[in-house]
Amino acid sequence: MRAPPRLYALVAAAVLSVMGTALVPTAATASAASASATTTASATTTAPVAPVAPVAAPPKLRASGNKLVDENGATRRLLGVNRSGGEFMCVQGYGIFDGPVDDASVKAIADWKVNAVRIPLNEECWLGLSHIDPAYGGANYIAAVKALVARLEAHGITPIVELHWSHGKYAGGDNHCPGTEYATCQKPMPNAQYTPAFWTSVAQTFRSDQAVVFDLFNEPFPDRATSDLTAAWKCWRDGGSCPGIDFQVAGMQTLLNAVRTTGAKNLVLIPGVAYSNDLRQWLTYKPNDPAGNLAAAWHTYNFNTCASESCFNEQLAPVIAQVPFVAGEIGENTCSHGYIDRVMAWLDAKGASYLGWTWNTWDCSSGPSLISDYNGTPTNFGVGLRDHLKGMR
């Protein structure tokens, strides 16, 4: 999703001001909580305690034909939400995540019967570049991401780590922050300077945990930098000097190589062009994967070009017939769920995967946002995804 950076800044500032008081108990509230806990404990010491059913670990996913399967060969689908924040909070100097990511907040996600959470990241924060506050970048950022991954897995949820914002000054078509090279917005493609190093580091961090899925780049749009669609797809795969893009590009093949060179065999998601909404030439330019563990990634919103069943049938069905298919972001800016209801029905019929954007307490018309609080209260938009996921179990 390419929500405007000014929205992120405003939301982050608001969240920070709330978090400064809400997440640190005062002496009064701590005393009250202690008294309540003591009273409850004394009243229930003789009551039997029901055993808590263990949560199954998330599967080690791999591509098998056009399906995702686990280590036992059983077909799996990724059905869940995005948890935005890691892409913008750090680079804007507000923290690491937008809102709580503690065990209680992860349990609230799990209560929607979610089995996958996509975690957008920022390469400058992960790599700890010099302009990033070290309190939020480098080792501290990596540790926070690892901790969130561990909490998700403890609830049986597949973590999808994804590069959302990246380095590179871009002033061409559809630019979002033309005045800076910093990773403060969505760029048309990853950059050769930092992105391969980012994915090498991420893969080294998680290569021993094949339950973690890698999503190479959020929403490429090299097709907005040039009118030559063939050149855009070649840029997408091969990188280098791309028409209309001011920096040296790292293509999908280079990033995949960076992952596989570490020995990581994790499932890798690779998006299309046009902000991941166009996959028409994905099969033609599909990168070579020595591990044979790729899936196509697609994003769809009601305002995208490909937003009708006729387009899905024409453009997506041929891809779904050959490789696993993950709609990494589905959403709409209507504060309702009529569009995603149609998308989910179509993807369900194809046995494909999907994740709603986003598990954050923003205005659902400008986010869009699934929740109004981190206890999991859905917005009018989010209720569609929540009820659909719960109804599938």
Side-chain angles (χ1 to χ4, degrees):
M1 179 69 183
R2 48 192 176 105
R6 63 182 179 275
L7 169 66
Y8 286 149
L10 291 171
V11 171
V15 169
L16 190 67
S17 67
V18 173
M19 288 175 63
T21 56
L23 298 184
V24 181
T26 64
T29 56
S31 298
S34 175
S36 176
T38 301
T39 302
T40 302
S42 62
T44 60
T45 50
T46 59
V49 177
V52 177
V55 176
K60 299 175 181 178
L61 294 171
R62 60 182 174 87
S64 178
N66 69 339
K67 303 296 182 185
L68 296 175
V69 299
D70 61 21
E71 50 268 57
N72 299 313
T75 299
R76 298 283 194 140
R77 298 170 67 197
L78 296 171
L79 302 169
V81 300
N82 286 260
R83 182 65 181 87
S84 182
E87 74 273 37
F88 66 84
M89 287 287 284
C90 166
V91 76
Q92 293 179 350
Y94 293 111
I96 295 177
F97 294 112
D98 176 27
V101 290
D102 57 6
D103 189 71
S105 67
V106 172
K107 183 181 183 300
I109 296 174
D111 286 345
W112 277 29
K113 305 306 179 185
V114 159
N115 70 14
V117 169
R118 183 169 174 261
I119 309 169
L121 300 180
N122 185 301
E123 70 181 13
E124 294 177 346
C125 297
W126 182 280
L127 295 173
L129 299 191
S130 60
H131 62 283
I132 299 296
D133 186 335
Y136 309 137
N140 289 327
Y141 185 87
I142 293 170
V145 174
K146 289 172 66 177
L148 177 54
V149 164
R151 290 187 199 105
L152 291 169
E153 290 187 339
H155 286 272
I157 295 172
T158 294
I160 303 172
V161 291
E162 172 261 328
L163 176 58
H164 211 84
W165 283 3
S166 56
H167 192 87
K169 192 168 185 178
Y170 173 69
D174 267 22
N175 62 72
H176 304 292
C177 50
T180 179
E181 71 273 22
Y182 292 149
T184 57
C185 69
Q186 179 67 44
K187 304 298 173 63
M189 284 292 292
N191 66 91
Q193 185 176 5
Y194 293 117
T195 312
F198 166 84
W199 274 115
T200 295
S201 179
V202 171
Q204 288 172 336
T205 301
F206 294 113
R207 65 187 171 191
S208 62
D209 182 1
Q210 290 189 47
V212 178
V213 175
F214 301 151
D215 189 347
L216 290 185
F217 193 65
N218 178 43
E219 293 183 343
F221 56 97
D223 51 305
R224 301 297 197 264
T226 177
S227 59
D228 184 340
L229 194 56
T230 297
W233 275 101
K234 287 181 178 178
C235 172
W236 174 88
R237 183 189 62 194
D238 302 330
S241 297
C242 294
I245 298 179
D246 309 276
F247 54 86
Q248 286 291 299
V249 168
M252 297 299 132
Q253 185 66 66
T254 296
L255 301 187
L256 181 59
N257 292 347
V259 169
R260 296 301 184 220
T261 299
T262 69
K265 296 181 171 59
N266 305 57
L267 175 68
V268 172
L269 310 184
I270 302 185
V273 300
Y275 296 96
S276 301
N277 187 243
D278 184 348
L279 272 67
R280 284 175 290 180
Q281 298 191 56
W282 193 97
L283 293 172
T284 300
Y285 290 94
K286 175 186 174 184
N288 178 54
D289 182 17
N293 202 14
L294 297 182
W298 177 65
H299 293 183
T300 188
Y301 293 87
N302 59 308
F303 47 79
N304 285 144
T305 299
C306 190
S308 66
E309 285 81 354
S310 60
C311 183
F312 304 163
N313 289 327
E314 177 188 355
Q315 297 187 15
L316 306 182
V319 181
I320 291 176
Q322 295 195 41
V323 296
F325 189 92
V326 179
E329 295 182 14
I330 64 172
E332 57 189 285
N333 60 357
T334 65
C335 281
S336 187
H337 51 87
Y339 179 67
I340 67 162
D341 288 348
R342 291 168 38 217
V343 170
M344 291 187 292
W346 192 88
L347 293 170
D348 285 340
K350 301 293 184 181
S353 301
Y354 47 84
L355 296 91
W357 182 274
T358 174
W359 190 273
N360 294 76
T361 55
W362 305 339
D363 179 346
C364 61
S365 65
S366 57
S369 175
L370 294 164
I371 55 170
S372 57
D373 61 55
Y374 287 102
N375 295 321
T377 303
T379 61
N380 290 335
F381 160 60
V383 73
L385 180 68
R386 183 201 63 179
D387 291 355
H388 188 76
L389 294 181
K390 286 190 171 185
M392 295 173 70
R393 305 293 172 168

